[in-house]
Amino acid sequence: MPRNSKLSIALILNAAPLAASFTTNHALLAPNHAAVAFVPKKPFVRNPSPIHSERLMEQQLEVDVVQQSSYEPFRNPLPIDVDPHCGTTIAVSAHPPIHWTVPGMNLGYRDESTGQWYDKDGPREGPPLNYWRQSMDERGYKNDMDVVDAALCLLDDDVDLDAVVEKAEKSSGIRYPWLSRKLLGTWAPVLHAGEKVVTVNNGSPCGCCEGTIDCSVIIDIQRASGPKLGPRNHYGVFYANMEEGEEVRIVSGDGAVDSRVGATKENRSVVIGNERAGKLAAPICLGRITYLSDYILVQRRQDGSMDIWLRLDEAYLGKL
């Protein structure tokens, strides 16, 4: 391919994030209105960033352009669709799939009215093997989705977000979140400094498993040197935990976030937004993490406000 053609492709790839960042920053500054009110006069479709999925990487015309960054894409991301009529937001599932700790285990349930146990094959005598593990997985999933739904219903008077989040925080904790493999992945901010920065589609105002939410920005967290997998076991294959001082790269598709941070046992807060993020009343940060699971990340700022991020990738399912 002629050099001029390569240069044109590079300019096209670099131009789209600059245009998308303007609207993304509007969504953070005016979270309750920007995603629906700010629409360009002409339909604008964000040029896909290669960090979002292997499927999008295949759409790139020049391999050498993609390989300019040492950042590796995530495997098995959830479906992410860009609305052709409003390309400034990204639609994702409001509830990610549940992670069953024991792959392929026989799931069962009990009819409360009759006391009869059932599984996929019909009635059975008593609970199936590993039902205690199934119950723990279901309970943890419900607690996390309650947090997501409470954040989506933030303006409802009967929703006590703090109480729902505190319940999740007390149920489980990670001593060193910056070193945990669960920090790695693709995330969508749902709350930014206590303000909702997504809109809900195809469901109740609180969202539902079948509904989707429109996100203004997606943030990827991965080792700067590329993915590193832990040893395979009977639960699956996951990312390896990070070591003290290991460099982590944090990026967003619009370029407003592109930082490298050293992993540490200290749960400190780091500003990850750059000049493209604009002058936000509350900067884009990562740290002071109080809860981290397969599904959500909760961090509390020094002023007491809260950030809640929703996981979008499927690495937590152990199928890497």
Side-chain angles (χ1 to χ4, degrees):
M1 180 179 290
R3 180 175 301 177
N4 291 340
S5 298
K6 291 186 177 181
L7 179 59
S8 300
I9 293 173
L11 291 175
I12 292 172
L13 293 176
N14 292 329
L18 289 171
S21 64
F22 176 78
T23 306
T24 296
N25 301 334
H26 261 272
L28 290 174
L29 287 169
N32 294 327
H33 305 285
V36 294
F38 183 82
V39 180
K41 293 182 179 179
K42 296 182 179 180
F44 171 74
V45 178
R46 185 202 306 261
N47 193 11
S49 171
I51 64 174
H52 286 161
S53 69
E54 293 177 343
R55 175 175 57 84
L56 295 183
M57 281 194 66
E58 294 174 356
Q59 297 177 6
Q60 303 301 324
L61 299 179
E62 285 293 323
V63 176
D64 56 342
V65 174
V66 176
Q67 292 179 345
Q68 289 178 0
S69 171
S70 62
Y71 186 80
E72 294 286 341
F74 291 92
R75 301 181 60 182
N76 302 322
L78 292 178
I80 298 175
D81 299 320
V82 178
D83 186 344
H85 301 292
C86 182
T88 58
T89 58
I90 301 173
V92 301
S93 174
H95 288 182
I98 188 171
H99 173 215
W100 302 112
T101 302
V102 181
M105 65 179 174
N106 187 23
L107 304 178
Y109 70 95
R110 184 181 184 184
D111 188 324
E112 297 297 334
S113 61
T114 64
Q116 175 66 53
W117 284 91
Y118 295 87
D119 61 14
K120 60 180 175 33
D121 297 321
R124 56 172 294 123
E125 294 295 330
L129 185 65
N130 290 323
Y131 179 74
W132 65 273
R133 183 68 257 184
Q134 173 189 335
S135 298
M136 291 182 64
D137 292 342
E138 291 173 334
R139 187 160 53 249
Y141 182 80
K142 181 181 183 304
N143 288 343
D144 286 6
M145 294 307 101
D146 285 346
V147 171
V148 175
D149 290 345
L152 296 177
C153 290
L154 187 61
L155 300 181
D156 290 6
D157 295 334
D158 58 344
V159 174
D160 188 347
L161 177 62
D162 285 331
V164 177
V165 172
E166 287 177 3
K167 179 181 179 181
E169 291 172 333
K170 292 178 180 179
S171 66
S172 177
I174 294 180
R175 187 175 183 183
Y176 304 123
W178 275 99
L179 302 181
S180 173
R181 65 173 174 80
K182 293 185 178 182
L183 183 64
L184 303 173
T186 308
W187 301 90
V190 175
L191 286 190
H192 178 75
E195 294 190 47
K196 186 167 65 175
V197 291
V198 298
T199 54
V200 181
N201 300 313
N202 305 328
S204 67
C206 295
C208 67
C209 292
E210 302 300 326
T212 61
I213 55 176
D214 284 343
C215 307
S216 60
V217 65
I218 287 179
I219 297 175
D220 290 332
I221 306 176
Q222 183 61 285
R223 286 178 164 87
S225 59
K228 177 182 177 181
L229 303 182
R232 178 185 294 272
N233 54 43
H234 57 282
Y235 297 120
V237 180
F238 304 88
Y239 289 127
N241 287 323
M242 288 166 287
E243 299 179 359
E244 182 85 16
E246 192 170 4
E247 190 176 48
V248 178
R249 188 177 180 191
I250 310 166
V251 296
S252 65
D254 61 2
V257 174
D258 191 347
S259 300
R260 293 174 182 261
V261 182
T264 176
K265 292 182 179 180
E266 183 182 358
N267 189 12
R268 68 185 189 278
S269 181
V270 178
V271 176
I272 58 176
N274 55 33
E275 64 276 2
R276 289 189 185 180
K279 296 181 179 179
L280 301 178
I284 305 175
C285 299
L286 179 62
R288 295 174 60 90
I289 299 170
T290 59
Y291 184 71
L292 177 61
S293 72
D294 285 342
Y295 314 107
I296 62 174
L297 179 153
V298 178
Q299 56 186 6
R300 295 182 180 268
R301 297 171 180 258
Q302 291 185 348
D303 62 1
S305 61
M306 188 187 310
D307 292 355
I308 296 178
W309 293 5
L310 175 67
R311 186 182 298 279
L312 301 184
D313 69 286
E314 290 186 346
Y316 69 96
L317 295 177
K319 299 179 180 179
L320 293 175

